Amino acid sequence: KYLGFLFRLSGKTNTHIKALKSEAVKKLGRVWGMAERLFPGNFKIRMHMYDSLIASGMMYGSEIYGWKRYDEIESVQRKYVKWTLGVDGRTKNEIIMEEANRLPHCANTAKRAMKFEEKSLMGNNEILQDCVKWNRKYHLERRGFIQGIGWGQEFEEMMRGQPNWIEDAIKITTDNYYQNIYNKLRGSTYERLRPIQLPHYLDKNNPKYKIIA
């Protein structure tokens, strides 16, 4: 363990991921209970509480593990959203994330990992820069992320010269994520019955929906 990050001799980050999930699950019930008492009808604030009190903690070390999607981490958000919406625990995860319009945790971790790379390469620490350069060539999870958004190594190098290349990469990741959701829901009962307007629990006209200044 170094600076709160759990390393393994194999280089895998599974131990750290399990520790992050364990800490998040401990907080989950308390945060949900507090949100249920204080903001019973305000979905926006309740998700803001999740982002601030739970998701932020799971971001620790994402500069290292952020290139890969871990279902252990994603399951924490799904559970909180289901509790908040009051739906059955067996409800399809794709429906929950689509209705709540939530991004996966891995989109935020990948963004932080990319920003860490950029900041490291612009600094004066040559050892850190060598590590980042090695990472870009040989890190399997990083290569998987870049290939997953349809970029090759040469194209990535070209994109890095663009001012908003990180945002572009995350947008592609997000688009792929929602496309995957739509593909899984295609032909389902949900697709046929899906309302055009926002669900009542996300509708600002809902009397229970309140903005607390």
Side-chain angles (χ1 to χ4, degrees), residues 98 101-104 106-108 110 145 148-151 165-184 186:
E98 161 66 10
N101 194 28
R102 296 288 297 180
L103 291 177
C106 59
N108 296 321
F145 172 82
I149 61 177
W151 292 6
W165 78 275
I166 293 179
E167 285 71 18
D168 292 340
I170 296 302
K171 185 179 185 305
I172 295 174
T173 303
T174 303
D175 291 344
N176 290 344
Y177 171 75
Y178 279 114
Q179 186 60 52
N180 185 51
I181 286 181
Y182 298 147
N183 290 340
K184 289 185 177 181
R186 187 166 294 153

Side-chain angles (χ1 to χ4, degrees), residues 17-210:
I17 296 300
K18 289 180 180 179
L20 289 179
K21 179 182 178 180
S22 178
E23 288 298 317
V25 169
K26 291 178 183 178
K27 301 176 185 176
L28 201 62
R30 296 197 297 269
V31 173
W32 178 85
M34 181 169 57
E36 182 75 4
R37 291 191 304 272
L38 299 176
F39 312 106
N42 195 320
F43 182 81
K44 182 177 180 180
I45 289 184
R46 295 180 71 165
M47 292 313 301
H48 182 69
M49 290 177 66
Y50 168 83
D51 291 335
S52 301
L53 301 175
I54 299 176
S56 59
M58 292 192 294
M59 290 291 290
Y60 188 79
S62 56
E63 294 85 353
I64 299 173
Y65 80 81
W67 297 107
K68 183 179 178 181
R69 181 184 184 278
Y70 291 90
D71 194 62
E72 300 97 316
I73 297 293
E74 304 295 345
S75 65
V76 176
Q77 177 175 218
R78 293 197 298 263
K79 180 178 289 187
Y80 184 87
V81 172
K82 287 182 179 181
W83 286 359
T84 302
L85 298 182
V87 300
D88 191 286
R90 294 168 294 181
T91 304
K92 283 188 174 183
N93 297 327
E94 293 80 15
I95 294 177
I96 291 300
M97 300 303 284
E98 161 66 10
E99 287 286 315
N101 194 28
R102 296 288 297 180
L103 291 177
H105 187 76
C106 59
N108 296 321
T109 59
K111 185 175 182 178
R112 179 174 287 190
M114 285 188 282
K115 286 188 174 182
F116 175 73
E117 274 195 358
E118 287 295 284
K119 185 177 180 179
S120 301
L121 292 173
M122 291 188 295
N124 299 319
N125 190 325
E126 295 183 0
I127 297 178
L128 182 58
Q129 290 176 354
D130 289 341
C131 290
V132 169
K133 291 176 181 178
W134 184 93
N135 221 31
R136 287 167 58 183
K137 285 185 178 180
Y138 303 109
H139 195 294
L140 295 179
E141 293 174 356
R142 187 190 186 285
R143 286 168 58 186
F145 172 82
I146 295 299
Q147 292 172 0
I149 61 177
W151 292 6
Q153 187 172 356
E154 294 182 0
F155 188 75
E156 181 195 355
E157 292 297 331
M158 181 186 71
M159 288 297 294
R160 294 178 81 92
Q162 305 298 321
N164 298 318
W165 78 275
I166 293 179
E167 285 71 18
D168 292 340
I170 296 302
K171 185 179 185 305
I172 295 174
T173 303
T174 303
D175 291 344
N176 290 344
Y177 171 75
Y178 279 114
Q179 186 60 52
N180 185 51
I181 286 181
Y182 298 147
N183 290 340
K184 289 185 177 181
L185 294 177
R186 187 166 294 153
S188 66
T189 304
Y190 171 78
E191 184 186 39
R192 295 194 298 272
L193 300 178
R194 182 180 178 218
I196 298 176
Q197 69 276 11
L198 285 173
H200 72 280
Y201 43 77
L202 299 181
D203 188 359
K204 291 183 179 180
N205 295 321
N206 177 9
K208 291 186 176 181
Y209 188 104
K210 300 178 182 178

